[in-house]
Amino acid sequence: MTDTAAVPVSRLDRGRLLAWLQDYGVYAAIAALVLVNIAITPRFLSLENLRTQLVQVAPVVIVSLGMALVIGTEGVDLSVGSVMALTTALIPLYLGYGVVPAVVAGLLGGVAVGLVNGSLVAFVGVQPIVATLALFVGGRGIALVVAGGQLKDVHDQTLLDLGSSSLVGVPLPVVVAVVLTVVVMAVMRRTTFGRRLVAIGGNRTASELSGLPVRRVLLLVYVVSGLLAAVAGTLATARLQASDPSSLGLLMELSAITAVVVGGTPLSGGRVRVLGTVAGALLIQLVRATLIKHDLADSVAQMVQAVIILAAVYAARGAGRR
């Protein structure tokens, strides 16, 4: 038996601090960044600025929710950016039949990618990073072929309303992100699927031996991730009023993984922090917006994002060794 009294107090204190940072550090960072912006950024608290920030972060939140589920199973989905590109390429092809068929076609593209990723991981036994890397590379190429390598303007007003309209004063993309957050929270806290997902991420071998439908759960997780990425791609297309598969969704996988890890979901799986993931996405958006508003290049924001990832992973590892 380990004698806890023999463990140096400083090590215990350090472990507690890192565990606190993993669980609540993202909220403290957001609070600190908000206070800094109130002090140094003109009109930071204006309704126009707050609305802009929320609309811009909504697709990141939606994609990050799917990524959180995947990482909860000790996997990763590198294809989410390519799914967004494929969705934006498919929508204009079917707009002639109406908005609903066009949106459905885009969403089905995301589901198809999820089925491929999930089948490779669950049934073929390919490592998630390898399985999704294939469509990370090839998915955008497929999207460019579908779109003929061209940016296409979108003029259908019903579709454009998805990115610009509001519900009781709240932008529709933000409403969608909030609703999906509530749904994912309910799934993780109230359903058998959520409990199975966490169990599989904690110990896949033990889950298989206990009779859990591991392959089915893994397949569904990647399908959900692809579907949520397609939803984000649809909203982004509507907001930008154009289909641009060459740039839409670029580096989205990095933003989503950052949001999930910073939000307290460990890369080792077995835990999913939904609200933490949303907070992580908000933190990324605030960091990027703050740097840009003060005339710093977006490349600087990406370097800061890398530092945030390293800090979050360090906190998670330290907390795990407590």
Side-chain angles (χ1 to χ4, degrees), residues 87-160:
T87 300
T88 195
L90 287 171
I91 287 176
L93 295 181
Y94 295 92
L95 271 178
Y97 300 98
V99 173
V100 174
V103 171
V104 169
L107 297 181
L108 288 178
V111 170
V113 172
L115 283 171
V116 173
N117 288 334
S119 298
L120 290 174
V121 173
F123 297 100
V124 183
V126 179
Q127 289 292 324
I129 193 171
V130 177
T132 59
L133 181 63
L135 282 167
F136 165 78
V137 176
R140 192 171 295 275
I142 295 172
L144 288 170
V145 171
V146 170
Q150 297 178 345
L151 182 149
K152 298 179 180 179
D153 293 329
V154 175
H155 301 290
D156 188 284
Q157 190 57 49
T158 304
L159 178 63
L160 298 182

Side-chain angles (χ1 to χ4, degrees), residues 138-226:
R140 192 171 295 275
I142 295 172
L144 288 170
V145 171
V146 170
Q150 297 178 345
L151 182 149
K152 298 179 180 179
D153 293 329
V154 175
H155 301 290
D156 188 284
Q157 190 57 49
T158 304
L159 178 63
L160 298 182
D161 286 342
L162 295 177
S164 60
S165 60
S166 299
L167 183 64
V168 294
V170 181
L172 191 57
V174 178
V175 173
V176 174
V178 171
V179 170
L180 290 175
T181 298
V182 173
V183 170
V184 173
M185 285 181 61
V187 167
M188 293 307 303
R189 295 183 179 182
R190 304 290 183 181
T191 69
T192 301
F193 172 77
R195 291 189 289 272
R196 287 173 173 175
L197 187 156
V198 171
I200 291 168
N203 193 321
R204 179 171 175 176
T205 301
S207 298
E208 290 175 339
L209 293 175
S210 64
L212 293 182
V214 173
R215 292 180 175 178
R216 189 167 69 224
V217 171
L218 288 175
L219 178 65
L220 187 55
V221 163
Y222 283 91
V223 169
V224 171
S225 179

Side-chain angles (χ1 to χ4, degrees), residues 262-274:
V262 170
T265 298
L267 291 171
S268 56
R271 186 183 188 190
V272 176
R273 290 177 58 87
V274 178

Side-chain angles (χ1 to χ4, degrees), residues 256-305:
I257 292 171
T258 304
V260 174
V261 174
V262 170
T265 298
L267 291 171
S268 56
R271 186 183 188 190
V272 176
R273 290 177 58 87
V274 178
L275 286 181
T277 296
V278 175
L282 289 172
L283 178 62
I284 296 168
Q285 176 61 32
L286 280 174
V287 168
R288 180 178 291 115
T290 301
L291 295 176
I292 291 176
K293 281 181 178 294
H294 292 275
D295 298 325
L296 293 173
D298 193 52
S299 57
V300 177
Q302 292 173 11
M303 289 186 285
V304 172
Q305 193 170 325

Side-chain angles (χ1 to χ4, degrees), residues 1-146:
M1 182 180 294
T2 303
D3 184 3
T4 56
V7 179
V9 176
S10 60
R11 186 183 302 174
L12 291 174
D13 291 341
R14 175 174 170 272
R16 292 192 188 99
L17 174 61
L18 291 175
W20 185 90
L21 287 174
Q22 184 185 17
D23 291 339
Y24 304 107
V26 63
Y27 305 109
I30 289 175
L33 196 53
V34 167
L35 291 175
V36 169
N37 274 285
I38 291 174
I40 67 173
T41 304
R43 297 180 55 78
F44 175 75
L45 291 180
S46 67
L47 289 178
E48 181 182 355
N49 179 62
L50 294 177
R51 180 187 177 93
T52 299
Q53 300 305 321
L54 290 175
V55 169
Q56 289 180 348
V57 80
V60 182
V61 169
I62 294 170
V63 174
S64 298
L65 291 172
M67 186 69 75
L69 298 181
V70 173
I71 291 179
T73 65
E74 200 179 4
V76 69
D77 188 353
L78 298 180
S79 68
V80 290
S82 295
V83 169
M84 293 180 68
L86 180 60
T87 300
T88 195
L90 287 171
I91 287 176
L93 295 181
Y94 295 92
L95 271 178
Y97 300 98
V99 173
V100 174
V103 171
V104 169
L107 297 181
L108 288 178
V111 170
V113 172
L115 283 171
V116 173
N117 288 334
S119 298
L120 290 174
V121 173
F123 297 100
V124 183
V126 179
Q127 289 292 324
I129 193 171
V130 177
T132 59
L133 181 63
L135 282 167
F136 165 78
V137 176
R140 192 171 295 275
I142 295 172
L144 288 170
V145 171
V146 170

